[in-house]
Amino acid sequence: MKAISLIFISLAVIATVNATCADANATAGQGGTCFCNAGYYGTSTDVSSGGSCKKCPTGATSPASTTSGTLKSSCTCIDTNAIPDITYTLCLCNDNYYGTPTSSGASGCTPCPTGSKSFAGSTTVTQCLCGDFNSVINDAKTACQCKANYYGTPTSSGPSGCTKCPTDTTSTIGTTALSSCACPDTNASLNTANPPVCQCKANFYGSPTSSGASGCTACPNGQIAPAGSSTNVCKVASTSSTYILPIVSLLFSLVMLI
Ligand SMILES: *[C@@H]1O[C@H](CO)[C@@H](O)[C@H](O)[C@H]1NC(C)=O
Ligand SMILES: *[C@@H]1O[C@H](CO)[C@@H](O)[C@H](O)[C@H]1NC(C)=O
């Protein structure tokens, strides 16, 4: 008797498990009710008449349901940096990422360079836009840097962190310091005035030109002049201050110690 009951129970279980669902994308679960398979969402025809299980967007999956209809939000993109598109047919790289989402392994969506942003669905780094309007993405595509002829550190929003180089001076992309804004005369550099102006570098004298040959003449060999010298004030470097004085001081200190 017991054995016969067991056989019947077993058959009933098998019948339940094997119950075919009208919805090909559903499988019978609790109480023989059909629920959506993994990778599908919605309600099967068996749970709600006329309902059906719809496929998650390409690149997204959902767990198999055994107790209730599967919510649309149960479909998650396999690429964790992606989101389903508005038509719910495929996955797109999320806001501030670019690329093509993958369906396995490493993400196909790369974060935008530091200081830049993009809209969901961006596929190339050129769609990442720097928050600082005076900055551009660097060659290595790693961060926004001040554009040519500007210097500083870009901000990600609000007022620009990049300032224009002083009149006539130039800079390459990524210049951070004012002192790196180059004077047209290669033997001149900016002084510390406000606003700074070009002056002859140390060991040169004269008036910088704005193009062509330098207006700054080098001091004769072995002679020095301070930066900003407009006339020939070149002179032989005094050795007393550079070498003798420290030696005298050292000897004096030693004598005092004894
Ligand atoms: C099951 O899903 C496939 C797509 O995966 C679809 O073509 C088919 O129409 C679905 N079947 C039903 C009964 O909805
Ligand atoms: C700057 O000075 C150096 C050294 O005297 C000289 O060789 C060079 O030609 C100068 N630069 C220009 C642009 O004249």
Side-chain angles (χ1 to χ4, degrees):
M1 192 61 190
K2 263 187 177 174
I4 293 166
S5 302
L6 268 175
I7 288 164
F8 270 108
I9 291 165
S10 305
L11 283 175
V13 167
I14 291 163
T16 305
V17 168
N18 288 347
T20 50
C21 297
D23 189 328
N25 298 315
T27 303
Q30 202 176 59
T33 308
C34 293
F35 297 107
C36 294
N37 291 342
Y40 288 80
Y41 68 96
T43 50
S44 75
T45 45
D46 306 69
V47 175
S48 148
S49 94
S52 67
C53 298
K54 295 174 198 70
K55 205 175 182 324
C56 284
T58 303
T61 190
S62 65
S65 177
T66 53
T67 55
S68 63
T70 314
L71 294 174
K72 197 173 184 180
S73 59
S74 299
C75 295
T76 51
C77 296
I78 295 159
D79 190 320
T80 53
N81 295 327
I83 52 164
D85 78 329
I86 199 154
T87 64
Y88 232 64
T89 48
L90 45 86
C91 298
L92 303 172
C93 287
N94 211 341
D95 288 343
N96 306 327
Y97 285 82
Y98 67 92
T100 307
T102 54
S103 294
S104 65
S107 176
C109 301
T110 308
C112 278
T114 307
S116 70
K117 289 177 179 199
S118 69
F119 292 110
S122 295
T123 54
T124 69
V125 70
T126 54
Q127 289 167 282
C128 297
L129 301 175
C130 291
D132 191 316
F133 50 89
N134 288 327
S135 72
V136 288
I137 292 169
N138 62 9
D139 287 347
K141 314 285 184 223
T142 53
C144 293
Q145 296 193 326
C146 291
K147 62 184 183 182
N149 304 330
Y150 283 76
Y151 69 93
T153 307
T155 52
S156 37
S157 63
S160 176
C162 302
T163 308
K164 192 141 180 34
C165 280
T167 313
D168 292 338
T169 64
T170 56
S171 70
T172 52
I173 290 168
T175 298
T176 56
L178 164 65
S179 58
S180 299
C181 293
C183 293
D185 189 321
T186 53
N187 288 329
S189 59
L190 286 169
N191 65 9
T192 55
N194 190 12
V197 290
C198 293
Q199 63 178 17
C200 290
K201 287 179 181 174
N203 308 331
F204 284 85
Y205 65 92
S207 303
T209 56
S210 50
S211 65
S214 177
C216 300
T217 307
C219 286
N221 245 349
Q223 293 193 13
I224 59 163
S229 300
S230 51
T231 57
N232 185 350
V233 292
C234 303
K235 59 175 198 258
V236 174
S238 161
T239 46
S240 64
S241 60
T242 16
Y243 300 108
I244 297 170
L245 206 62
I247 291 168
V248 168
S249 312
L250 188 70
L251 286 174
F252 183 73
S253 308
L254 284 173
V255 167
M256 289 301 284
L257 274 175
I258 296 160

